């Protein structure tokens, strides 16, 4: 294919850039032999979009290099004054440059031109943003732990980006700017009501939660699997988390514990008192150790009322489903129900105990209501005490290494 033309002065010029020629050839190969996945297609669109924004003067070359991953993490401070060189700060900067204010409409216009479409949805935009901001962590987050049946955390994160990601209502097309502050100061600003700090925390904490597989796309099967108490897209969950103190502290905790070089990993989250102070680990009833973060617990913290309603609906569904399962499966299901119910009851009782409301009415209700709750709890306690399993049940004893040596090695 000849892309060369000649001007009236006889000078040879190029009718298409070298980058465009290469991309056209690659696209042709994938069209004919190995069709592109949506991830690869949007990755190519994202690269072309950024180059188009540079050509139009909407982005400087230095800014585009940060977004495209050309600028190394350790050199990010040469472009913007981030507190630490990390993939999360690159993600925040990229989101800001492509979504804040008029940048959102300009970026979408370039995407429409490249794709020859009349419209680009926010979810499509979010998916494209996802394949831009995961450049620094694709390899480690694509790994799966040995024996794991779930997809890699990278795939789950891209599913979440395809369902809106961290593009809550205040981000796309709205005026905002990142607060480049160390995480403790950023959290304090967000708790004090600083809107830009709250958005920065939503993006940073949301990116961490999605990249580790805790915040995934909204799907009905999660209700039947019991991994979430209600349905909610990632932006809806993040908006709920950012709406109260415990949720903001959880976003900061997820950001703090996140590890860029590791596949999805488990970590604890702090237990917070109503006044914002941490509950210190101890041996008394009034104190609790930090709890392990799960997708179910994430939803509970985001919206306790919806979590309770969803929990009750799940119990009804489980009762109907238990009619057709084996006794062993029914026992396992009831153990899960008992654990979840006790966690909810413990949270509710702790919140009522620490309520700032002065009687009347008493936080625990009337004396009759309190007595009924106490009797139920006492009855449950007696059941658990009487049903204590043998500590050695299921233990398999084996001979010491000196006894019964393998005959194959006796003469060695």
């Amino acid at each position: 294919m000849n892309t060369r033309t000649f001007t009236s002065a006889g000078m040879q010029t190029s009718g298409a850039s070298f980058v465009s020629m290469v991309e056209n050839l690659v696209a042709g190969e994938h069209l004919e032999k190995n069709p592109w996945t949506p991830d690869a297609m949007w990755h190519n669109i994202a690269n072309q979009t950024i180059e188009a924004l540079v050509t139009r003067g909407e982005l400087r070359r230095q800014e585009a290099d940060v977004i495209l991953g050309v600028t190394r993490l350790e050199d990010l401070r040469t472009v913007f004054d981030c507190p630490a060189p990390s993939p999360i700060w690159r993600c925040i900067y990229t989101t800001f440059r492509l979504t804040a204010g008029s940048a959102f409409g300009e970026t979408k216009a370039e995407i429409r031109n490249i794709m020859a479409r009349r419209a680009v949805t926010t979810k499509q935009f979010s998916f494209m943003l996802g394949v831009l901001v995961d450049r620094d962590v694709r390899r480690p987050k694509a790994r799966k732990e040995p024996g794991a049946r779930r997809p890699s955390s990278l795939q789950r994160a891209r599913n979440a980006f395809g369902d809106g990601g961290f593009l809550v209502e205040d981000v796309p097309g709205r005026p905002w700017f990142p607060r480049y502050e160390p995480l403790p100061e950023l959290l304090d600003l967000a708790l004090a009501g600083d809107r830009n700090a709250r958005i920065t925390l939503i993006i940073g904490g949301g990116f961490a939660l999605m990249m580790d597989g805790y915040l995934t796309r909204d799907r009905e099967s999660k209700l039947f699997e019991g991994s979430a108490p209600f349905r909610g897209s990632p932006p809806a969950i993040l908006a709920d988390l950012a709406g109260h103190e415990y949720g903001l502290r959880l976003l900061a905790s997820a950001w703090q514990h996140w590890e860029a070089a590791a596949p999805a990993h488990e970590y604890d989250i702090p237990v917070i008192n109503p006044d914002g102070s941490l509950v210190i680990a101890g041996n008394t009833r009034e104190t609790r150790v930090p709890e392990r973060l799960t997708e179910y617990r994430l939803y509970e913290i985001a919206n306790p009322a919806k979590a309770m309603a969803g929990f009750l609906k799940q119990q009804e569904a489980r009762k109907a489903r238990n009619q057709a399962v084996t006794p062993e499966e029914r026992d396992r299901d009831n153990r899960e129900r008992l654990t979840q119910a006790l966690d909810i009851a413990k949270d509710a009782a702790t919140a009522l105990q620490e309520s700032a409301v002065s009687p009347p009415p008493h936080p625990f209700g009337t004396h009759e209501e309190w007595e009924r709750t106490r009797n139920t709890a006492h009855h449950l306690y007696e059941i658990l005490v009487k049903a204590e399993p043998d500590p050695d049940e299921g233990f398999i004893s084996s001979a010491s290494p000196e006894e019964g040596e393998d005959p194959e090695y006796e003469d060695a």
Side-chain angles (χ1 to χ4, degrees), residues 57-121:
E58 303 294 345
L59 287 176
R60 292 183 290 113
R61 182 74 262 170
Q62 190 180 32
E63 295 171 329
D65 286 346
V66 172
I67 296 172
L68 295 174
V70 177
T71 303
R72 298 177 303 174
L73 286 175
E74 53 267 31
D75 297 331
L76 290 183
R77 288 175 175 167
T78 62
V79 182
F80 62 100
D81 190 23
C82 62
S86 75
I88 290 182
W89 282 116
R90 192 200 296 270
C91 168
I92 292 170
Y93 179 83
T94 298
T95 305
F96 167 65
R97 293 300 293 118
L98 299 182
T99 68
S102 60
F104 182 60
E106 293 161 355
T107 306
K108 287 180 69 174
E110 293 300 335
I111 298 173
R112 291 197 301 270
N113 290 338
I114 292 169
M115 301 185 69
R117 286 187 177 180
R118 297 180 60 184
V120 174
T121 67

Side-chain angles (χ1 to χ4, degrees), residues 282-338:
N283 297 320
T284 64
R285 289 183 183 176
E286 290 74 23
T287 60
R288 289 179 288 173
V289 297
E291 55 187 338
R292 183 56 53 89
L293 179 63
T294 63
E295 186 175 23
Y296 195 101
R297 186 67 184 122
L298 178 67
Y299 277 59
E300 277 188 316
I301 295 173
N303 196 319
K306 289 185 68 174
M308 174 62 75
F311 173 76
L312 295 176
K313 288 182 180 179
Q314 286 179 336
Q315 301 319 297
E316 294 300 323
R318 289 187 179 193
K319 285 181 180 179
R321 193 168 66 247
N322 277 346
Q323 305 300 323
V325 299
T326 65
E328 293 78 13
E329 290 174 331
R330 187 179 299 112
D331 287 348
R332 183 176 63 251
D333 193 69
N334 283 327
R335 283 196 299 271
E336 292 177 0
R337 292 176 57 208
L338 177 62

